[in-house]
Amino acid sequence: MARCFQGARRAVAADRRPSRRPGGRLVLVLVAAALVLGGCWDARDVEDRAIVVGVGLDRARGGRIEVSLEVTIPGGTTTRPGISGNQPGQRGGLQGGTKVVLAATGATVHEAIAHLRDAARFDIFLGHVRVVLVGEDLARAGVLQHLEMLVQNPEIRRLIPLAVVRGRAKDFLTTTMAQDATAALYLSQMLDDLTRTGRAPNVDLSRFLTDVSEPGVDPVASVLRQAAGTEAGIDWAGLAVFRDDRLQTIIRPPEAWYLMWAMGSPRRTTLYVPVREPVSGGVVLDIFHVDSRLNLQGPPDSREAVLRLLVEGRVVEHRAGGIDLTDTATMRRIQARTQRDLQQRVQRIVARVRDLGADPFGIGRALRVVEPSLWPQPGSATRQAAERIEARVEVVVRVRRTGLTIR
C-alpha cells in the first residue's frame, strides 16, 4: 500500500510540470487515480487466511463425497460447530497450532468446500496445495467428475501430484509426521523423490485428466499405504490401473516395475534380477536403464502391437564361485537367460492388465494414428478396436561389467 501512495505522489508531482501535449494533465490524473484505487483491493491479512496444503477425497454414504483439507494457520484459529477440525494427528490442536484437518461432505466437491468456507472464520486458500489423495473406494466408483470440479477452482494448480491410497485419504492427512509439519508436504516430497529416481511414474492432475479424456489410453497412479516400520508409517504400494476413470486393480511390486517398463515410464529405474548359473549361487543385475517402444505391425485386419524393451544392467554381485565374468561366453549366457526371464514376466503383466480391459500402454492411441477413420467415432470404438489387437513383448537385454559392455 505504501508503494501505491508513493507512486501516486510521484504522479502528482509530475502533473505540476507543464505538459506540452493537450490532455496531458488529464492523463496524469487518471494514472494517479489508478495507482491509488487499484492493486490492493483483494488484500487479506495472513492471520485471516488458511493455506491448504493437502486435499483428500473419499466416498461418503448415499453417493456423496467427503472432502478433507489439511490447512496451516499462522496464528491458530477456531471453526464453527458442524465441521470436524480436531482430528487425530494434528499438531497443536486448534489452540495456536499450525496444522488442522477440516472435513465436510457434499453432493459435489464444490458443495463440500463451500460448507468448509461457510463454517470457518478464516479464508481458505487453495493456491498452495501440494498433493491430492483419492481413497480407494472412491477411485473404484469413478473420480472424473470430482477431479474436474476440483480443477475448476481457479486457485488449484494442474501439476499437483495425485495418488490413490489404501483406505481413506482423510486418515493419511491426519497422520503425524515427525519430519515435516504437515502430512501433505511429506507425501508430496515422497512422490517427487519416487518419480525423480525412477521408482514411480510422474502422475499429476493434468496428466491423469488428459489420459482419462483422450481416447486410446488409460491412466495409472501411484498407490500409498500405511505400513509399520517405515520412515513415516507410509510407503509406496504399487500402481493403480484405471479403465477410464474407475480403478480396476492395484499392481504390486515387482510386477509394477514390469508394467512401468511396458508403459515406457520411467526411462531409468533400479531392479535387482537374480540369474542362476548351474555352477554357482547366481548373479545379481542392477537394471539402470529401460527404453520402451510401441509399434503396430501387419495389415489392418490382422494387426499386432509389439512392445520392444531395451533393458540395460550391470553385474553388481555374484554369489559363490565358479563364474568367470571376464569370459564372454558366460556373460552371453547370463544375458540370454535374463532376456528370456524378463520377457516372460513383462508379457504376463501385459496380458493381465489387458484382460481387465485397461490400456495404459496407449495401444488405442497408436491405432488412431494409423486409422484416422476412428477420429470422429466415440472413444468406445477405439477401445473395442484396440482390444482385438494382440500384444506381444520383445525384450533385449544388455549386460555390462564395470567399465565394459558385452557386445
Side-chain angles (χ1 to χ4, degrees):
M1 185 64 73
R3 293 181 179 179
C4 296
F5 285 112
Q6 290 176 3
R9 285 197 295 269
R10 287 195 295 268
V12 172
D15 181 51
R16 294 174 181 172
R17 296 193 295 268
S19 177
R20 297 180 181 179
R21 291 184 297 177
R25 185 183 299 273
L26 177 60
V27 172
L28 292 174
V29 171
L30 293 176
V31 170
L35 290 172
V36 174
L37 300 177
C40 303
W41 59 272
D42 63 342
R44 286 180 173 83
D45 292 335
V46 67
E47 291 82 3
D48 295 329
R49 170 166 283 183
I51 299 175
V52 180
V53 293
V55 176
L57 304 178
D58 290 303
R59 190 178 185 184
R61 294 181 179 178
R64 295 166 66 83
I65 183 171
E66 181 181 32
V67 177
S68 304
L69 303 180
E70 184 181 16
V71 301
T72 58
I73 309 167
T77 186
T78 58
T79 55
R80 298 173 186 171
I83 297 297
S84 57
N86 192 10
Q87 301 297 334
Q90 76 182 46
R91 289 179 175 269
L94 295 175
Q95 289 76 30
T98 60
K99 166 186 171 178
V100 62
V101 176
L102 306 178
T105 60
T108 65
V109 171
H110 284 325
E111 181 178 325
I113 294 179
H115 291 333
L116 291 172
R117 292 186 186 276
D118 293 340
R121 76 163 182 85
F122 45 75
D123 178 56
I124 295 178
F125 180 63
L126 296 168
H128 292 294
V129 175
R130 300 294 299 270
V131 67
V132 175
L133 304 178
V134 179
E136 184 178 352
D137 288 345
L138 180 63
R140 294 189 182 278
V143 296
L144 178 59
Q145 175 187 359
H146 309 300
L147 293 181
E148 283 184 338
M149 286 190 175
L150 183 63
V151 299
Q152 286 174 7
N153 190 305
E155 297 175 349
I156 289 287
R157 295 177 294 111
R158 304 301 188 268
L159 300 180
I160 303 172
L162 173 71
V164 176
V165 299
R166 303 298 299 261
R168 297 183 61 79
K170 180 180 178 182
D171 296 336
F172 283 74
L173 293 180
T174 55
T175 302
T176 300
M177 300 293 175
Q179 298 82 0
D180 300 281
T182 65
L185 178 60
Y186 177 86
L187 295 176
S188 173
Q189 293 177 344
M190 175 182 175
L191 292 171
D192 181 68
D193 290 340
L194 290 170
T195 300
R196 179 172 46 81
T197 56
R199 291 175 290 164
N202 184 16
V203 180
D204 51 40
L205 284 175
S206 177
R207 178 175 177 179
F208 187 91
L209 291 175
T210 299
D211 289 346
V212 170
S213 304
E214 180 183 359
V217 62
D218 289 313
V220 299
S222 290
V223 180
L224 304 178
R225 66 172 182 176
Q226 294 178 329
T230 57
E231 180 183 13
I234 297 175
D235 69 351
W236 190 81
L239 287 178
V241 178
F242 287 78
R243 176 186 168 100
D244 293 326
D245 70 327
R246 295 177 182 270
L247 173 63
Q248 299 299 307
T249 188
I250 295 176
I251 306 296
R252 300 216 4 105
E255 287 79 9
W257 304 122
Y258 311 142
L259 177 59
M260 291 168 61
W261 292 355
M263 293 165 44
S265 172
R267 297 295 177 180
R268 299 180 62 87
T269 186
T270 300
L271 182 70
Y272 296 97
V273 180
V275 181
R276 304 205 172 273
E277 286 279 296
V279 295
S280 72
V283 299
V284 179
L285 302 180
D286 177 16
I287 306 300
F288 62 87
H289 178 74
V290 177
D291 186 33
S292 176
R293 295 287 188 272
L294 171 63
N295 295 312
L296 297 182
Q297 299 179 352
D301 58 343
S302 59
R303 278 202 173 96
E304 182 183 41
V306 180
L307 287 165
R308 291 191 174 92
L309 276 68
L310 171 61
V311 180
E312 294 183 278
R314 63 174 62 91
V315 177
V316 295
E317 181 184 357
H318 66 91
R319 300 167 186 170
I323 293 183
D324 183 8
L325 297 180
T326 63
D327 182 17
T328 301
T330 299
M331 294 300 292
R332 290 190 184 279
R333 287 200 306 273
I334 294 174
Q335 188 169 272
R337 293 185 180 187
T338 305
Q339 185 169 295
R340 290 194 300 269
D341 182 64
L342 288 182
Q343 184 165 306
Q344 293 174 358
R345 297 184 188 186
V346 178
Q347 184 70 62
R348 283 196 297 267
I349 193 60
V350 169
R352 175 183 168 187
V353 170
R354 297 201 74 211
D355 287 343
L356 298 172
D359 184 14
F361 318 104
I363 297 176
R365 179 167 53 191
L367 184 61
R368 288 170 63 87
V369 173
V370 299
E371 291 190 15
S373 59
L374 291 172
W375 296 355
Q377 300 184 34
S380 58
T382 298
R383 185 179 294 279
Q384 293 173 4
E387 289 177 349
R388 292 192 293 267
I389 296 179
E390 294 293 330
R392 178 167 55 88
V393 176
E394 294 181 356
V395 177
V396 176
V397 175
R398 294 178 181 173
V399 180
R400 296 183 182 181
R401 290 174 290 163
T402 302
L404 297 175
T405 302
I406 303 302
R407 300 184 182 276

